[in-house]
mmCIF file of all heavy atoms in Angstrom:
data_model
loop_
_atom_site.group_PDB
_atom_site.id
_atom_site.type_symbol
_atom_site.label_atom_id
_atom_site.label_comp_id
_atom_site.label_asym_id
_atom_site.label_seq_id
_atom_site.Cartn_x
_atom_site.Cartn_y
_atom_site.Cartn_z
ATOM 1 N N ASP C 204 12.158 -4.752 -27.466
ATOM 2 C CA ASP C 204 11.149 -4.712 -26.304
ATOM 3 C C ASP C 204 10.291 -5.947 -26.305
ATOM 4 O O ASP C 204 9.812 -6.510 -25.349
ATOM 5 C CB ASP C 204 10.455 -3.432 -26.161
ATOM 6 C CG ASP C 204 11.323 -2.267 -25.872
ATOM 7 O OD1 ASP C 204 12.608 -2.463 -25.594
ATOM 8 O OD2 ASP C 204 10.822 -1.101 -25.671
ATOM 9 N N ARG C 205 9.907 -6.269 -27.457
ATOM 10 C CA ARG C 205 9.034 -7.497 -27.629
ATOM 11 C C ARG C 205 9.628 -8.787 -27.130
ATOM 12 O O ARG C 205 8.924 -9.743 -26.783
ATOM 13 C CB ARG C 205 8.534 -7.646 -29.128
ATOM 14 C CG ARG C 205 7.539 -6.439 -29.427
ATOM 15 C CD ARG C 205 6.593 -6.909 -30.579
ATOM 16 N NE ARG C 205 7.297 -7.277 -31.844
ATOM 17 C CZ ARG C 205 7.537 -6.445 -32.847
ATOM 18 N NH1 ARG C 205 7.166 -5.214 -32.844
ATOM 19 N NH2 ARG C 205 8.143 -7.004 -33.805
ATOM 20 N N LEU C 206 10.877 -8.736 -27.219
ATOM 21 C CA LEU C 206 11.498 -9.986 -26.774
ATOM 22 C C LEU C 206 11.337 -10.385 -25.277
ATOM 23 O O LEU C 206 11.438 -11.423 -24.745
ATOM 24 C CB LEU C 206 13.086 -10.037 -27.056
ATOM 25 C CG LEU C 206 13.446 -10.145 -28.515
ATOM 26 C CD1 LEU C 206 15.004 -9.957 -28.509
ATOM 27 C CD2 LEU C 206 12.979 -11.255 -29.181
ATOM 28 N N TYR C 207 10.939 -9.354 -24.474
ATOM 29 C CA TYR C 207 10.698 -9.400 -23.134
ATOM 30 C C TYR C 207 9.472 -10.167 -22.872
ATOM 31 O O TYR C 207 9.159 -10.673 -21.737
ATOM 32 C CB TYR C 207 10.667 -7.940 -22.562
ATOM 33 C CG TYR C 207 10.486 -7.962 -21.045
ATOM 34 C CD1 TYR C 207 11.332 -8.402 -20.191
ATOM 35 C CD2 TYR C 207 9.326 -7.226 -20.600
ATOM 36 C CE1 TYR C 207 11.177 -8.286 -18.750
ATOM 37 C CE2 TYR C 207 9.038 -7.216 -19.254
ATOM 38 C CZ TYR C 207 9.985 -7.729 -18.296
ATOM 39 O OH TYR C 207 9.729 -7.647 -17.073
ATOM 40 N N LEU C 208 8.478 -10.096 -23.882
ATOM 41 C CA LEU C 208 7.165 -10.721 -23.571
ATOM 42 C C LEU C 208 7.190 -12.321 -23.742
ATOM 43 O O LEU C 208 8.164 -12.798 -24.200
ATOM 44 C CB LEU C 208 6.210 -10.176 -24.550
ATOM 45 C CG LEU C 208 6.036 -8.607 -24.645
ATOM 46 C CD1 LEU C 208 5.267 -8.219 -25.709
ATOM 47 C CD2 LEU C 208 5.427 -8.134 -23.291
ATOM 48 N N ARG C 209 6.339 -12.895 -23.141
ATOM 49 C CA ARG C 209 6.371 -14.338 -22.976
ATOM 50 C C ARG C 209 6.150 -14.963 -24.243
ATOM 51 O O ARG C 209 6.557 -16.038 -24.598
ATOM 52 C CB ARG C 209 5.286 -14.775 -21.846
ATOM 53 C CG ARG C 209 5.458 -16.203 -21.485
ATOM 54 C CD ARG C 209 4.547 -16.557 -20.330
ATOM 55 N NE ARG C 209 3.137 -16.385 -20.694
ATOM 56 C CZ ARG C 209 2.125 -16.914 -19.949
ATOM 57 N NH1 ARG C 209 2.340 -17.670 -18.978
ATOM 58 N NH2 ARG C 209 0.817 -16.641 -20.445
ATOM 59 N N SER C 210 5.284 -14.412 -25.007
ATOM 60 C CA SER C 210 4.922 -14.906 -26.429
ATOM 61 C C SER C 210 4.781 -13.767 -27.398
ATOM 62 O O SER C 210 4.584 -12.644 -27.077
ATOM 63 C CB SER C 210 3.587 -15.852 -26.203
ATOM 64 O OG SER C 210 2.583 -15.042 -25.563
ATOM 65 N N ASP C 211 4.711 -14.127 -28.596
ATOM 66 C CA ASP C 211 4.619 -13.144 -29.710
ATOM 67 C C ASP C 211 3.095 -12.651 -29.790
ATOM 68 O O ASP C 211 2.368 -13.151 -30.669
ATOM 69 C CB ASP C 211 5.046 -13.817 -31.042
ATOM 70 C CG ASP C 211 4.957 -12.868 -32.278
ATOM 71 O OD1 ASP C 211 4.857 -11.570 -31.899
ATOM 72 O OD2 ASP C 211 4.964 -13.277 -33.327
ATOM 73 N N VAL C 212 2.867 -11.726 -29.076
ATOM 74 C CA VAL C 212 1.455 -11.217 -28.954
ATOM 75 C C VAL C 212 1.247 -10.207 -29.951
ATOM 76 O O VAL C 212 0.087 -9.594 -30.068
ATOM 77 C CB VAL C 212 1.203 -10.598 -27.590
ATOM 78 C CG1 VAL C 212 0.776 -11.654 -26.611
ATOM 79 C CG2 VAL C 212 2.321 -9.718 -27.072
ATOM 80 N N THR C 213 2.049 -10.034 -31.051
ATOM 81 C CA THR C 213 1.669 -9.367 -32.253
ATOM 82 C C THR C 213 0.915 -10.167 -33.207
ATOM 83 O O THR C 213 0.411 -9.620 -34.159
ATOM 84 C CB THR C 213 2.964 -8.796 -32.926
ATOM 85 O OG1 THR C 213 3.682 -9.924 -33.383
ATOM 86 C CG2 THR C 213 3.795 -7.893 -32.011
ATOM 87 N N ASN C 214 0.842 -11.489 -32.836
ATOM 88 C CA ASN C 214 0.029 -12.343 -33.570
ATOM 89 C C ASN C 214 -1.403 -12.419 -32.898
ATOM 90 O O ASN C 214 -1.573 -12.612 -31.672
ATOM 91 C CB ASN C 214 0.609 -13.710 -33.526
ATOM 92 C CG ASN C 214 -0.199 -14.771 -34.147
ATOM 93 O OD1 ASN C 214 -1.307 -14.945 -34.110
ATOM 94 N ND2 ASN C 214 0.660 -15.658 -34.947
ATOM 95 N N GLN C 215 -2.482 -12.096 -33.757
ATOM 96 C CA GLN C 215 -3.741 -11.982 -33.229
ATOM 97 C C GLN C 215 -4.170 -13.351 -32.525
ATOM 98 O O GLN C 215 -4.810 -13.241 -31.417
ATOM 99 C CB GLN C 215 -4.693 -11.669 -34.445
ATOM 100 C CG GLN C 215 -6.283 -11.677 -33.957
ATOM 101 C CD GLN C 215 -6.700 -10.310 -33.244
ATOM 102 O OE1 GLN C 215 -6.456 -9.285 -33.876
ATOM 103 N NE2 GLN C 215 -7.089 -10.455 -32.093
ATOM 104 N N ALA C 216 -3.842 -14.346 -33.094
ATOM 105 C CA ALA C 216 -4.257 -15.621 -32.420
ATOM 106 C C ALA C 216 -3.661 -15.803 -31.086
ATOM 107 O O ALA C 216 -4.389 -16.324 -30.081
ATOM 108 C CB ALA C 216 -4.069 -16.787 -33.413
ATOM 109 N N ILE C 217 -2.426 -15.491 -30.940
ATOM 110 C CA ILE C 217 -1.582 -15.636 -29.753
ATOM 111 C C ILE C 217 -2.260 -14.552 -28.612
ATOM 112 O O ILE C 217 -2.325 -14.972 -27.511
ATOM 113 C CB ILE C 217 -0.194 -15.460 -29.947
ATOM 114 C CG1 ILE C 217 0.319 -16.668 -30.731
ATOM 115 C CG2 ILE C 217 0.522 -15.396 -28.584
ATOM 116 C CD1 ILE C 217 1.896 -16.687 -31.213
ATOM 117 N N LEU C 218 -2.447 -13.451 -29.206
ATOM 118 C CA LEU C 218 -3.123 -12.358 -28.213
ATOM 119 C C LEU C 218 -4.390 -12.889 -27.728
ATOM 120 O O LEU C 218 -4.693 -12.842 -26.555
ATOM 121 C CB LEU C 218 -3.249 -11.023 -28.853
ATOM 122 C CG LEU C 218 -3.889 -9.983 -28.027
ATOM 123 C CD1 LEU C 218 -2.978 -9.666 -27.001
ATOM 124 C CD2 LEU C 218 -4.225 -8.890 -28.805
ATOM 125 N N ASP C 219 -5.281 -13.499 -28.626
ATOM 126 C CA ASP C 219 -6.579 -14.002 -28.143
ATOM 127 C C ASP C 219 -6.393 -15.034 -27.171
ATOM 128 O O ASP C 219 -7.243 -15.128 -26.234
ATOM 129 C CB ASP C 219 -7.339 -14.524 -29.413
ATOM 130 C CG ASP C 219 -7.806 -13.434 -30.387
ATOM 131 O OD1 ASP C 219 -7.929 -12.222 -29.905
ATOM 132 O OD2 ASP C 219 -8.113 -13.696 -31.535
ATOM 133 N N ARG C 220 -5.342 -15.888 -27.214
ATOM 134 C CA ARG C 220 -5.131 -16.936 -26.328
ATOM 135 C C ARG C 220 -4.854 -16.364 -24.978
ATOM 136 O O ARG C 220 -5.232 -16.771 -23.963
ATOM 137 C CB ARG C 220 -4.075 -17.881 -26.785
ATOM 138 C CG ARG C 220 -4.105 -19.175 -26.110
ATOM 139 C CD ARG C 220 -3.490 -20.259 -26.871
ATOM 140 N NE ARG C 220 -2.096 -20.220 -26.985
ATOM 141 C CZ ARG C 220 -1.367 -20.212 -28.151
ATOM 142 N NH1 ARG C 220 -2.065 -20.649 -29.379
ATOM 143 N NH2 ARG C 220 -0.096 -20.085 -28.315
ATOM 144 N N LEU C 221 -3.951 -15.234 -25.032
ATOM 145 C CA LEU C 221 -3.570 -14.595 -23.765
ATOM 146 C C LEU C 221 -4.858 -14.007 -23.079
ATOM 147 O O LEU C 221 -4.956 -14.164 -21.860
ATOM 148 C CB LEU C 221 -2.618 -13.462 -24.170
ATOM 149 C CG LEU C 221 -2.238 -12.435 -22.826
ATOM 150 C CD1 LEU C 221 -1.497 -13.111 -21.888
ATOM 151 C CD2 LEU C 221 -1.514 -11.225 -23.333
ATOM 152 N N VAL C 222 -5.706 -13.313 -23.927
ATOM 153 C CA VAL C 222 -6.883 -12.765 -23.296
ATOM 154 C C VAL C 222 -7.757 -13.838 -22.632
ATOM 155 O O VAL C 222 -8.352 -13.767 -21.545
ATOM 156 C CB VAL C 222 -7.652 -11.977 -24.345
ATOM 157 C CG1 VAL C 222 -9.048 -11.378 -23.823
ATOM 158 C CG2 VAL C 222 -6.743 -10.746 -24.690
ATOM 159 N N ASP C 223 -7.889 -14.960 -23.343
ATOM 160 C CA ASP C 223 -8.649 -16.102 -22.868
ATOM 161 C C ASP C 223 -8.060 -16.569 -21.544
ATOM 162 O O ASP C 223 -8.852 -16.889 -20.610
ATOM 163 C CB ASP C 223 -8.707 -17.279 -23.881
ATOM 164 C CG ASP C 223 -9.513 -17.093 -25.164
ATOM 165 O OD1 ASP C 223 -10.341 -16.085 -25.069
ATOM 166 O OD2 ASP C 223 -9.316 -17.789 -26.123
ATOM 167 N N GLU C 224 -6.733 -16.601 -21.477
ATOM 168 C CA GLU C 224 -6.011 -16.955 -20.208
ATOM 169 C C GLU C 224 -6.440 -15.998 -19.092
ATOM 170 O O GLU C 224 -6.692 -16.376 -17.972
ATOM 171 C CB GLU C 224 -4.634 -16.981 -20.358
ATOM 172 C CG GLU C 224 -4.043 -18.236 -21.145
ATOM 173 C CD GLU C 224 -2.474 -18.252 -21.287
ATOM 174 O OE1 GLU C 224 -1.906 -17.410 -20.662
ATOM 175 O OE2 GLU C 224 -2.024 -19.088 -21.923
ATOM 176 N N LEU C 225 -6.542 -14.709 -19.454
ATOM 177 C CA LEU C 225 -6.916 -13.793 -18.391
ATOM 178 C C LEU C 225 -8.341 -13.996 -17.869
ATOM 179 O O LEU C 225 -8.629 -14.062 -16.671
ATOM 180 C CB LEU C 225 -6.919 -12.321 -19.035
ATOM 181 C CG LEU C 225 -5.495 -11.816 -19.461
ATOM 182 C CD1 LEU C 225 -5.715 -10.359 -20.009
ATOM 183 C CD2 LEU C 225 -4.558 -11.813 -18.292
ATOM 184 N N HIS C 226 -9.281 -14.348 -18.743
ATOM 185 C CA HIS C 226 -10.602 -14.655 -18.493
ATOM 186 C C HIS C 226 -10.694 -15.920 -17.579
ATOM 187 O O HIS C 226 -11.578 -16.239 -16.793
ATOM 188 C CB HIS C 226 -11.526 -14.860 -19.676
ATOM 189 C CG HIS C 226 -11.753 -13.654 -20.368
ATOM 190 N ND1 HIS C 226 -12.125 -12.523 -19.634
ATOM 191 C CD2 HIS C 226 -11.705 -13.243 -21.709
ATOM 192 C CE1 HIS C 226 -12.288 -11.490 -20.564
ATOM 193 N NE2 HIS C 226 -12.016 -11.943 -21.754
ATOM 194 N N GLU C 227 -9.675 -16.915 -17.824
ATOM 195 C CA GLU C 227 -9.689 -18.163 -17.040
ATOM 196 C C GLU C 227 -8.932 -18.062 -15.692
ATOM 197 O O GLU C 227 -8.813 -19.005 -14.993
ATOM 198 C CB GLU C 227 -8.968 -19.216 -17.913
ATOM 199 C CG GLU C 227 -9.807 -19.709 -19.122
ATOM 200 C CD GLU C 227 -8.939 -20.447 -20.133
ATOM 201 O OE1 GLU C 227 -7.886 -20.820 -19.758
ATOM 202 O OE2 GLU C 227 -9.481 -20.635 -21.178
ATOM 203 N N GLY C 228 -8.357 -16.869 -15.516
ATOM 204 C CA GLY C 228 -7.763 -16.662 -14.134
ATOM 205 C C GLY C 228 -6.325 -17.046 -14.107
ATOM 206 O O GLY C 228 -5.693 -17.207 -13.088
ATOM 207 N N ILE C 229 -5.763 -17.298 -15.297
ATOM 208 C CA ILE C 229 -4.396 -17.636 -15.338
ATOM 209 C C ILE C 229 -3.474 -16.415 -15.259
ATOM 210 O O ILE C 229 -2.256 -16.576 -15.006
ATOM 211 C CB ILE C 229 -4.061 -18.508 -16.669
ATOM 212 C CG1 ILE C 229 -4.837 -19.893 -16.581
ATOM 213 C CG2 ILE C 229 -2.576 -18.827 -16.796
ATOM 214 C CD1 ILE C 229 -4.818 -20.628 -17.777
ATOM 215 N N GLY C 230 -4.018 -15.190 -15.400
ATOM 216 C CA GLY C 230 -3.320 -13.997 -15.262
ATOM 217 C C GLY C 230 -4.210 -12.805 -15.106
ATOM 218 O O GLY C 230 -5.382 -12.931 -15.268
ATOM 219 N N VAL C 231 -3.720 -11.661 -14.708
ATOM 220 C CA VAL C 231 -4.400 -10.347 -14.607
ATOM 221 C C VAL C 231 -3.562 -9.376 -15.233
ATOM 222 O O VAL C 231 -2.373 -9.411 -15.105
ATOM 223 C CB VAL C 231 -4.896 -9.988 -13.249
ATOM 224 C CG1 VAL C 231 -6.052 -10.842 -12.673
ATOM 225 C CG2 VAL C 231 -3.655 -10.187 -12.216
ATOM 226 N N MET C 232 -4.206 -8.514 -15.872
ATOM 227 C CA MET C 232 -3.434 -7.420 -16.770
ATOM 228 C C MET C 232 -3.971 -6.030 -16.310
ATOM 229 O O MET C 232 -5.153 -5.793 -16.082
ATOM 230 C CB MET C 232 -3.634 -7.698 -18.262
ATOM 231 C CG MET C 232 -2.872 -6.689 -19.013
ATOM 232 S SD MET C 232 -3.302 -6.895 -20.766
ATOM 233 C CE MET C 232 -2.232 -8.200 -21.165
ATOM 234 N N ILE C 233 -3.041 -5.165 -16.278
ATOM 235 C CA ILE C 233 -3.329 -3.736 -16.098
ATOM 236 C C ILE C 233 -2.918 -3.025 -17.384
ATOM 237 O O ILE C 233 -1.709 -3.334 -17.783
ATOM 238 C CB ILE C 233 -2.613 -3.167 -14.764
ATOM 239 C CG1 ILE C 233 -3.095 -3.932 -13.525
ATOM 240 C CG2 ILE C 233 -2.849 -1.672 -14.643
ATOM 241 C CD1 ILE C 233 -2.291 -3.496 -12.288
ATOM 242 N N VAL C 234 -3.608 -2.083 -17.797
ATOM 243 C CA VAL C 234 -3.143 -1.461 -19.063
ATOM 244 C C VAL C 234 -3.063 0.110 -18.773
ATOM 245 O O VAL C 234 -3.777 0.647 -17.884
ATOM 246 C CB VAL C 234 -4.134 -1.536 -20.246
ATOM 247 C CG1 VAL C 234 -4.030 -3.084 -20.695
ATOM 248 C CG2 VAL C 234 -5.515 -1.085 -19.918
ATOM 249 N N CYS C 235 -2.133 0.809 -19.369
ATOM 250 C CA CYS C 235 -2.073 2.379 -19.397
ATOM 251 C C CYS C 235 -2.533 2.835 -20.666
ATOM 252 O O CYS C 235 -2.058 2.390 -21.720
ATOM 253 C CB CYS C 235 -0.709 2.763 -19.079
ATOM 254 S SG CYS C 235 0.085 2.277 -17.496
ATOM 255 N N ARG C 236 -3.375 3.833 -20.517
ATOM 256 C CA ARG C 236 -3.893 4.507 -21.800
ATOM 257 C C ARG C 236 -3.491 6.054 -21.870
ATOM 258 O O ARG C 236 -3.779 6.744 -20.830
ATOM 259 C CB ARG C 236 -5.413 4.352 -21.879
ATOM 260 C CG ARG C 236 -5.848 3.145 -22.417
ATOM 261 C CD ARG C 236 -7.508 3.225 -22.588
ATOM 262 N NE ARG C 236 -7.868 1.891 -23.266
ATOM 263 C CZ ARG C 236 -7.936 1.753 -24.573
ATOM 264 N NH1 ARG C 236 -7.508 2.629 -25.427
ATOM 265 N NH2 ARG C 236 -8.328 0.529 -24.996
ATOM 266 N N GLU C 237 -3.093 6.525 -23.006
ATOM 267 C CA GLU C 237 -2.969 7.863 -23.218
ATOM 268 C C GLU C 237 -3.800 8.267 -24.340
ATOM 269 O O GLU C 237 -3.675 7.803 -25.519
ATOM 270 C CB GLU C 237 -1.344 8.199 -23.545
ATOM 271 C CG GLU C 237 -1.011 9.711 -23.517
ATOM 272 C CD GLU C 237 -1.377 10.418 -24.690
ATOM 273 O OE1 GLU C 237 -0.856 10.027 -25.764
ATOM 274 O OE2 GLU C 237 -2.164 11.431 -24.696
ATOM 275 N N GLY C 238 -4.969 8.858 -24.093
ATOM 276 C CA GLY C 238 -5.972 9.005 -25.016
ATOM 277 C C GLY C 238 -6.559 7.645 -25.399
ATOM 278 O O GLY C 238 -6.928 6.920 -24.512
ATOM 279 N N ALA C 239 -6.714 7.560 -26.690
ATOM 280 C CA ALA C 239 -7.331 6.225 -27.025
ATOM 281 C C ALA C 239 -6.228 5.034 -27.198
ATOM 282 O O ALA C 239 -6.627 3.954 -27.318
ATOM 283 C CB ALA C 239 -7.773 6.342 -28.553
ATOM 284 N N ALA C 240 -4.916 5.407 -27.053
ATOM 285 C CA ALA C 240 -3.852 4.385 -27.283
ATOM 286 C C ALA C 240 -3.460 3.752 -25.928
ATOM 287 O O ALA C 240 -3.180 4.495 -24.991
ATOM 288 C CB ALA C 240 -2.820 5.046 -28.005
ATOM 289 N N ILE C 241 -3.186 2.485 -25.973
ATOM 290 C CA ILE C 241 -2.503 1.796 -24.902
ATOM 291 C C ILE C 241 -0.993 2.105 -25.112
ATOM 292 O O ILE C 241 -0.466 1.823 -26.088
ATOM 293 C CB ILE C 241 -2.851 0.232 -24.816
ATOM 294 C CG1 ILE C 241 -4.437 0.016 -24.539
ATOM 295 C CG2 ILE C 241 -1.894 -0.462 -23.972
ATOM 296 C CD1 ILE C 241 -4.859 -1.335 -24.511
ATOM 297 N N ILE C 242 -0.351 2.485 -23.947
ATOM 298 C CA ILE C 242 0.968 2.863 -23.949
ATOM 299 C C ILE C 242 1.826 1.984 -23.027
ATOM 300 O O ILE C 242 3.026 2.219 -22.854
ATOM 301 C CB ILE C 242 1.216 4.335 -23.822
ATOM 302 C CG1 ILE C 242 0.615 4.846 -22.571
ATOM 303 C CG2 ILE C 242 0.720 5.102 -24.995
ATOM 304 C CD1 ILE C 242 1.387 4.802 -21.235
ATOM 305 N N GLY C 243 1.125 1.102 -22.254
ATOM 306 C CA GLY C 243 1.814 0.204 -21.263
ATOM 307 C C GLY C 243 0.968 -0.758 -20.762
ATOM 308 O O GLY C 243 -0.282 -0.776 -20.789
ATOM 309 N N GLU C 244 1.506 -1.934 -20.418
ATOM 310 C CA GLU C 244 0.754 -2.980 -19.697
ATOM 311 C C GLU C 244 1.723 -3.621 -18.770
ATOM 312 O O GLU C 244 2.916 -3.749 -18.890
ATOM 313 C CB GLU C 244 0.130 -3.877 -20.763
ATOM 314 C CG GLU C 244 1.104 -4.789 -21.506
ATOM 315 C CD GLU C 244 1.316 -6.198 -20.867
ATOM 316 O OE1 GLU C 244 0.878 -6.444 -19.727
ATOM 317 O OE2 GLU C 244 2.004 -7.045 -21.648
ATOM 318 N N CYS C 245 0.949 -4.299 -17.760
ATOM 319 C CA CYS C 245 1.829 -5.137 -16.785
ATOM 320 C C CYS C 245 0.840 -6.384 -16.409
ATOM 321 O O CYS C 245 -0.344 -6.103 -16.046
ATOM 322 C CB CYS C 245 1.983 -4.376 -15.511
ATOM 323 S SG CYS C 245 3.038 -5.194 -14.302
ATOM 324 N N THR C 246 1.327 -7.492 -16.698
ATOM 325 C CA THR C 246 0.537 -8.788 -16.534
ATOM 326 C C THR C 246 1.168 -9.619 -15.392
ATOM 327 O O THR C 246 2.297 -9.758 -15.439
ATOM 328 C CB THR C 246 0.549 -9.550 -17.947
ATOM 329 O OG1 THR C 246 -0.027 -8.694 -18.912
ATOM 330 C CG2 THR C 246 -0.358 -10.772 -17.710
ATOM 331 N N GLN C 247 0.369 -10.172 -14.571
ATOM 332 C CA GLN C 247 0.795 -11.135 -13.601
ATOM 333 C C GLN C 247 0.271 -12.459 -13.993
ATOM 334 O O GLN C 247 -0.806 -12.638 -14.252
ATOM 335 C CB GLN C 247 0.145 -10.696 -12.219
ATOM 336 C CG GLN C 247 0.707 -11.701 -11.125
ATOM 337 C CD GLN C 247 0.370 -11.052 -9.668
ATOM 338 O OE1 GLN C 247 0.906 -11.719 -8.752
ATOM 339 N NE2 GLN C 247 -0.470 -10.175 -9.577
ATOM 340 N N HIS C 248 1.180 -13.421 -14.141
ATOM 341 C CA HIS C 248 0.889 -14.809 -14.615
ATOM 342 C C HIS C 248 0.981 -15.615 -13.418
ATOM 343 O O HIS C 248 1.833 -15.652 -12.606
ATOM 344 C CB HIS C 248 1.947 -15.292 -15.684
ATOM 345 C CG HIS C 248 2.003 -14.422 -16.868
ATOM 346 N ND1 HIS C 248 1.131 -14.542 -17.914
ATOM 347 C CD2 HIS C 248 2.706 -13.294 -17.170
ATOM 348 C CE1 HIS C 248 1.421 -13.710 -18.757
ATOM 349 N NE2 HIS C 248 2.411 -12.939 -18.418
ATOM 350 N N PHE C 249 -0.037 -16.531 -13.247
ATOM 351 C CA PHE C 249 -0.079 -17.358 -12.054
ATOM 352 C C PHE C 249 0.219 -18.810 -12.482
ATOM 353 O O PHE C 249 0.087 -19.270 -13.639
ATOM 354 C CB PHE C 249 -1.463 -17.375 -11.562
ATOM 355 C CG PHE C 249 -1.994 -16.039 -11.107
ATOM 356 C CD1 PHE C 249 -2.941 -15.332 -11.801
ATOM 357 C CD2 PHE C 249 -1.375 -15.387 -9.985
ATOM 358 C CE1 PHE C 249 -3.361 -14.201 -11.494
ATOM 359 C CE2 PHE C 249 -1.777 -14.107 -9.696
ATOM 360 C CZ PHE C 249 -2.829 -13.389 -10.375
ATOM 361 N N ILE C 250 0.888 -19.480 -11.550
ATOM 362 C CA ILE C 250 1.219 -20.838 -11.680
ATOM 363 C C ILE C 250 0.306 -21.652 -10.842
ATOM 364 O O ILE C 250 0.640 -21.760 -9.700
ATOM 365 C CB ILE C 250 2.738 -21.053 -11.437
ATOM 366 C CG1 ILE C 250 3.545 -20.099 -12.116
ATOM 367 C CG2 ILE C 250 3.176 -22.557 -11.746
ATOM 368 C CD1 ILE C 250 4.954 -19.762 -11.592
ATOM 369 N N HIS C 251 -0.681 -22.218 -11.314
ATOM 370 C CA HIS C 251 -1.716 -22.803 -10.460
ATOM 371 C C HIS C 251 -1.348 -24.243 -10.049
ATOM 372 O O HIS C 251 -1.909 -24.818 -9.302
ATOM 373 C CB HIS C 251 -3.030 -22.817 -11.079
ATOM 374 C CG HIS C 251 -3.575 -21.476 -11.121
ATOM 375 N ND1 HIS C 251 -3.678 -20.594 -10.176
ATOM 376 C CD2 HIS C 251 -4.048 -20.800 -12.245
ATOM 377 C CE1 HIS C 251 -4.285 -19.455 -10.437
ATOM 378 N NE2 HIS C 251 -4.432 -19.532 -11.774
ATOM 379 N N HIS C 252 -0.375 -24.921 -10.685
ATOM 380 C CA HIS C 252 -0.139 -26.258 -10.463
ATOM 381 C C HIS C 252 1.417 -26.579 -10.149
ATOM 382 O O HIS C 252 2.251 -25.808 -10.889
ATOM 383 C CB HIS C 252 -0.582 -27.115 -11.633
ATOM 384 C CG HIS C 252 -0.325 -28.602 -11.470
ATOM 385 N ND1 HIS C 252 -0.862 -29.501 -10.563
ATOM 386 C CD2 HIS C 252 0.644 -29.362 -11.914
ATOM 387 C CE1 HIS C 252 -0.429 -30.656 -10.588
ATOM 388 N NE2 HIS C 252 0.614 -30.622 -11.532
ATOM 389 N N GLY C 253 1.649 -27.364 -9.326
ATOM 390 C CA GLY C 253 3.102 -27.776 -9.218
ATOM 391 C C GLY C 253 3.886 -27.087 -8.146
ATOM 392 O O GLY C 253 3.232 -26.483 -7.251
#
Side-chain angles (χ1 to χ4, degrees):
Chain C
D204 290 0
R205 288 204 302 264
L206 291 181
Y207 179 64
L208 302 170
R209 193 173 59 160
S210 48
D211 179 14
V212 277
T213 59
N214 177 316
Q215 177 77 58
I217 292 174
L218 177 70
D219 287 343
R220 200 158 66 228
L221 170 69
V222 172
D223 289 344
E224 284 182 3
L225 297 179
H226 290 313
E227 288 165 15
I229 295 172
V231 279
M232 180 186 283
I233 296 171
V234 296
C235 297
R236 277 186 178 275
E237 193 273 304
I241 289 179
I242 54 90
E244 66 95 349
C245 184
T246 304
Q247 184 169 189
H248 301 275
F249 304 108
I250 308 156
H251 290 304
H252 176 76

